[in-house]
Amino acid sequence: MAKKLLMGNEAFAHAALEAGVRVVAGYPGTPSSELVETVAALHADGSAEGVHVEWSTNEKAALELLAGAAYAGARVLFTCKQVGLNVASDALMSLNYVGVKGGTVLFVADDPGPISSQTEQDTRRFASFAKVPVLDPATPDQGFQMMKAAFGLSERYGTPVIVRPTTRICHASTFFDVAESTQARPVPPEGFERDPRWVIFPRRAFEAHGEINDRLSAIAADFANDPQFAAFNPTFCGGAGGAQASNARAASASDDLPRLGIVAGGVSAAYVLEALRMLEKRAAAAGKSLPPYTFWQVGTVFPFPRDKAMRFLRGVSGSVIVFEELDHVLEDELLATIGAAASDPAAPHLQIRGKLDGTTRDRGENSVEDALVRLATFLEVPELAGLPKKAAAKAARVEETADEPSDAEQTPADLQASGRVADGPEAAACAGDVRFAYQAPSDAPLPVRPPVLCAGCPHRGSFYAVKRALGKAPAVLCGDIGCYTLGNAMPLDAVDTCLCMGAGITMAQGFSVAEPGKKALAFVGDSTFFASAMTGIANAVYNGHDVTFCILDNATTAMTGSQPHPGTGVTLMGERRKPLSIPRVLEALGVERIVAANPLDLQASIDAVRDAVAFEGPSAVIFTSPCVQLFAPSARAAIDVDVCRGCKKCITEIGCPGIGFNADARGPKSGERGQAFVDVGLCNGCGLCVQVCPFDAISVGDR
């Protein structure tokens, strides 16, 4: 074993490899991408033996490939972000009915905020919809253990299993003990065995539905009682008497202290534990105690461990507050648990408070600061969350971060002595699980920095050429998911719609039907072309829609980290294959008018767009120029201060971040207007600004 500082996604890759995963496939999407890349890197250096890893054309293709391998008995791992699961949903819904042989884990990363996604879709809801178990880690450490446990759970019950981390879990870093080398589990000697169950006819689906219901009940019991999975659902008592109250006593109706309930899932559990620690410390400093409470982290979300929930609920009184990110999943389950027991005279009568009544955030990410205020209000100690004057607040924050040992530095005995962790069988599972480094935000406001295409990005030239070619002609410009979504920003203002990956291709067809007097254009990147655009293009040809496809070929999957795709010919297994040709694919799909241009050659690009748009029927413009992240620039633009007139056209026309403006500069032509300047740290010498400047004041030269 070796101790390494790893990002959560990197650690999850190691966990899967240690569990014997043999086939790994997915489609890149933040915040999930690093897992597949880590597996590929470990395979490349020889430390991950026997594993096959690939970026598939899209999520559906990846999951279907993995299903075949799992039918043969291989352990397989699928990766995507939350909206990527939509693409794979057709395969997933049927796969759970058919079942699997080899352990099948779906690593689906959710993105509360959202930080880099178009929705705050909650995979826990999708898991319930698909009737697939889901594990929800609170920390990277816990996610590491869940990843390993998921393969065994999958094989025990013949079902896919979802591991659902969120962005902060995926991208947090800590130290892990990982194997220096791994060997994929071999496929069982019998391999794939023919059986009617692999063919999902209606009668078989009806039978399988009953089997699914039965196994979900069994899994829920495991989540509540099996020590391996119960460890993902720790509880402890805190507040007055917290150090003395055992887990058993907290769950006993004979406890003479009324105890409030606190429930949290995912990374919110880490936030809540940190907030409770701060409140406990502040209360002690004031000579007070927090009211008695019992905390429960729910790490096995679906099927919900109702037996464990009832034990928890019988040990609290009055109210329960629920912290979770995205939907009110745990809140609903607790309400359902109470409702199901309503006929029992001894059933708890509790108020469940959370997203539904506005007690906790109804969207976005939770935080330590937010949890602190809401917990103080819930526990009726609002003075402990009061904000002191700035100077005092800074001193308090310094004292808290400098003098207080972190949870990672405290022993279980320290945690029990503080009243944070009870004695009892679940205390060991809870103690030391949460490592959270809290740093209070600066008082100074951060500058606004909107997202923007990179300096020299060839997409800028593509968008600008399209706008110049169209002029004042009525048109609708349909965008897509990727770097080029940023074409909507001023001054380019070249994206009118963006729904989901590949949707621009088909939305443009809808516009051409509804508004035939407008030109309909769709932008799509080269990676997305292969991922989800080809079926839409086939539809346009088949139905004769008058649309123009603008394919932005920058030779990579830029937005998610420059991963290869079928158009590059590069595979993660190290083999180089002949790249798939976008022009030949378009020809095969029946597109009759295909023109090409270098987007950094402005006039040629304008002419190409005019040619394609003038064609009646489906047409395509292929803009080809590599992403600026793929090469080192050899030249920089320069502005001749004796020629620059301060007109700002280089800025207002293309909006390149490599060009700035100095209002105080003076020159023989600019006078009092100021002058543009080039940021040599950003400029890569693409030359688009040279072609935009009406006064020939810009040139590209050597460094």
Side-chain angles (χ1 to χ4, degrees):
M1 303 296 283
K3 185 176 289 292
K4 293 184 178 181
L5 177 64
L6 299 173
M7 180 191 295
N9 283 347
E10 295 172 323
F12 303 147
H14 281 271
L17 291 168
E18 290 180 21
V21 68
R22 175 162 285 274
V23 186
V24 181
Y27 188 81
T30 303
S32 71
S33 303
E34 294 86 1
L35 192 155
V36 167
E37 292 172 337
T38 301
V39 173
L42 293 171
H43 170 267
D45 69 19
S47 58
E49 298 181 17
V51 66
H52 174 90
V53 55
E54 68 173 55
W55 288 125
S56 298
T57 304
N58 67 10
E59 293 86 350
K60 177 176 164 64
L63 187 55
E64 290 170 347
L65 178 147
L66 294 171
Y71 288 0
R75 284 193 164 184
V76 300
L77 177 63
F78 166 85
T79 75
C80 71
K81 66 186 297 178
Q82 84 281 12
V83 290
L85 193 57
N86 300 337
V87 182
S89 61
D90 191 21
L92 176 60
M93 298 301 290
S94 296
L95 183 59
N96 196 33
Y97 273 69
V98 173
V100 296
K101 179 177 179 180
T104 303
V105 176
L106 282 66
F107 177 85
V108 185
D110 280 5
D111 187 24
I115 298 172
S116 60
S117 306
Q118 59 267 48
T119 70
E120 287 195 302
Q121 179 175 314
D122 194 324
T123 295
R124 298 175 301 168
R125 293 284 195 208
F126 208 117
S128 176
F129 173 54
K131 300 181 183 295
V132 174
V134 61
L135 307 176
D136 191 16
T139 66
D141 309 69
Q142 193 178 64
F144 187 88
Q145 298 302 323
M146 285 181 174
M147 179 67 80
K148 290 185 174 182
F151 284 99
L153 179 67
S154 173
E155 288 175 348
R156 187 188 312 174
Y157 289 101
T159 178
V161 175
I162 293 174
V163 176
R164 177 252 188 190
T166 53
T167 302
R168 303 302 179 183
I169 301 296
C170 292
H171 290 165
S173 297
T174 188
F175 285 94
F176 291 87
D177 290 318
V178 295
E180 297 187 37
S181 63
T182 59
Q183 177 66 54
R185 283 196 180 191
V187 172
E190 71 279 7
F192 173 71
E193 297 175 292
R194 299 186 66 196
D195 191 294
R197 73 187 182 100
W198 300 122
V199 182
I200 189 166
F201 285 112
R203 179 176 178 81
R204 173 61 198 142
F206 178 82
E207 296 170 349
H209 195 169
E211 294 167 4
I212 290 171
N213 293 337
D214 290 342
R215 74 170 174 243
L216 286 176
S217 296
I219 293 171
D222 281 353
F223 284 173
N225 303 306
D226 185 317
Q228 180 185 26
F229 295 102
F232 300 142
N233 301 307
T235 62
F236 71 83
C237 300
Q244 290 76 37
S246 69
N247 186 68
R249 179 170 173 76
S252 170
S254 63
D255 192 337
D256 57 359
L257 289 174
R259 310 191 72 83
L260 296 169
I262 302 170
V263 176
V267 73
S268 296
Y271 299 153
V272 169
L273 287 171
E274 179 69 7
L276 286 171
R277 182 191 70 81
M278 295 170 67
L279 287 173
E280 294 274 14
K281 181 179 179 182
R282 293 180 185 183
K288 302 178 180 180
S289 294
L290 295 183
Y293 63 83
T294 301
F295 170 86
W296 178 30
Q297 180 213 334
V298 185
T300 61
V301 181
F302 181 81
F304 190 64
R306 189 160 288 184
D307 291 347
K308 175 62 182 282
M310 280 303 303
R311 293 197 295 270
F312 167 79
L313 292 170
R314 291 183 187 279
V316 300
S317 59
S319 298
V320 176
I321 188 170
V322 183
F323 290 88
E324 53 188 322
E325 288 181 338
L326 301 181
D327 287 353
H328 40 85
V329 174
L330 299 180
E331 194 173 349
D332 288 350
E333 292 286 3
L334 290 170
L335 289 167
T337 300
I338 292 174
S343 59
D344 183 354
H349 297 281
L350 300 168
Q351 181 183 17
I352 306 300
R353 300 168 63 180
K355 295 177 180 289
L356 291 174
D357 67 354
T359 301
T360 58
R361 286 181 175 175
D362 69 344
R363 76 204 82 163
E365 295 186 286
N366 291 324
S367 66
V368 174
E369 300 93 329
D370 183 76
L372 181 72
V373 173
R374 296 178 191 272
L375 282 170
T377 302
F378 176 71
L379 297 172
E380 298 184 346
V381 287
E383 68 277 5
L384 297 182
L387 298 177
K389 294 180 180 179
K390 290 184 179 180
K394 289 182 179 178
R397 289 196 291 267
V398 169
E399 179 184 355
E400 284 181 355
T401 56
D403 298 339
E404 181 75 5
S406 68
D407 286 344
E409 296 170 334
Q410 292 180 328
T411 67
D414 294 331
L415 294 169
Q416 289 172 4
S418 69
R420 288 205 40 235
V421 178
D423 298 322
E426 295 179 349
C430 168
D433 269 359
V434 178
R435 299 180 177 90
F436 185 85
Y438 170 67
Q439 182 175 0
S442 168
D443 292 328
L446 296 175
V448 176
R449 188 174 65 177
V452 64
L453 292 170
C454 296
C457 175
H459 298 338
R460 181 175 288 105
S462 302
F463 286 124
Y464 186 63
V466 168
K467 294 294 292 285
R468 286 282 300 274
L470 291 172
K472 295 185 180 299
V476 60
L477 306 177
C478 299
D480 215 302
I481 303 300
C483 297
Y484 37 91
T485 306
L486 298 175
N488 75 318
M490 297 297 288
L492 294 172
D493 191 25
V495 172
D496 296 326
T497 72
C498 182
L499 179 63
C500 62
M501 186 171 284
I505 295 293
T506 40
M507 289 183 73
Q509 298 168 48
F511 283 114
S512 71
V513 172
E515 297 183 286
K518 286 185 177 181
K519 289 295 181 181
L521 292 86
F523 296 99
V524 67
D526 48 334
S527 181
T528 303
F529 175 87
F530 292 108
S532 55
M534 292 187 290
T535 52
I537 293 171
N539 186 74
V541 173
Y542 177 58
N543 290 292
H545 295 302
D546 183 18
V547 293
T548 298
F549 309 120
C550 300
I551 300 164
L552 313 182
D553 183 359
N554 64 356
T556 190
T557 312
M559 190 179 192
T560 55
S562 301
Q563 293 85 8
H565 59 71
T568 68
V570 178
T571 72
L572 292 182
M573 293 298 289
E575 298 171 302
R576 297 190 67 91
R577 302 188 180 279
K578 185 176 180 179
L580 271 65
S581 166
I582 291 176
R584 292 183 65 185
V585 171
L586 290 169
E587 292 172 2
L589 289 171
V591 178
E592 296 181 4
R593 189 58 178 166
I594 305 167
V595 293
N598 178 351
L600 302 182
D601 185 337
L602 181 56
Q603 190 57 53
S605 295
I606 293 172
D607 293 341
V609 174
R610 287 173 176 165
D611 184 328
V613 169
F615 183 82
E616 290 292 331
S619 61
V621 182
I622 305 174
F623 293 102
T624 304
S625 183
C627 173
V628 296
Q629 302 297 326
L630 300 182
F631 64 92
S634 58
R636 299 285 191 274
I639 296 178
D640 188 336
V641 297
D642 293 329
V643 179
C644 177
R645 302 197 180 196
C647 69
K648 298 185 182 178
K649 190 170 184 179
C650 57
I651 297 173
T652 59
E653 291 286 300
I654 59 176
C656 179
I659 303 177
F661 193 80
N662 183 358
D664 296 325
R666 299 291 180 263
K669 299 290 186 179
S670 61
E672 301 293 318
R673 290 187 295 272
Q675 290 188 326
F677 67 88
V678 173
D679 185 336
V680 295
L682 294 177
C683 177
N684 75 339
C686 75
L688 188 61
C689 58
V690 176
Q691 301 166 74
V692 169
C693 178
F695 303 108
D696 297 323
I698 310 176
S699 61
V700 175
D702 296 333
R703 296 189 188 187

